[in-house]
Amino acid sequence: VVVRTRGARGRVEVAVEDDGNGIASEQLPRLYEPFFSTKKGGTGLGLALTQQIIQDHGGEIHVASRVGRGTTFTLSVPAG
């Protein structure tokens, strides 16, 4: 796991990248849906709650993923 931070245009960005299996492209649009999970026994609430908290603070979350290469989540929130 690699974590990068930077300031950009009055915002703070945090990117969290892994080199895992990646996420299939057909699953990407559903990642933030409450109760969507690909894990047996998963609740599907983690990313839905994360997105809501970030949005409540004026931020955004984005994902980029390639199967077999890994996934990067980038969070952006207002600085200060």
Side-chain angles (χ1 to χ4, degrees):
V1 174
V2 175
V3 178
R4 293 184 194 83
T5 59
R6 72 179 187 140
R9 295 177 290 243
R11 300 183 72 78
V12 174
E13 292 183 358
V14 178
V16 180
E17 178 181 350
D18 72 26
D19 60 357
N21 295 329
I23 301 168
S25 61
E26 63 270 7
Q27 294 174 342
L28 291 174
R30 300 192 64 203
L31 285 183
Y32 304 106
E33 287 181 19
F35 308 111
F36 173 74
S37 179
T38 60
K39 296 180 180 169
K40 185 176 176 130
T43 62
L45 291 175
L47 286 174
L49 289 173
T50 299
Q51 181 183 49
Q52 186 61 54
I53 291 167
I54 291 169
Q55 288 176 344
D56 287 349
H57 292 279
E60 301 173 345
I61 183 170
H62 300 281
V63 62
S65 188
R66 291 179 54 197
V67 173
R69 305 287 287 209
T71 302
T72 302
F73 282 92
T74 304
L75 299 80
S76 173
V77 293

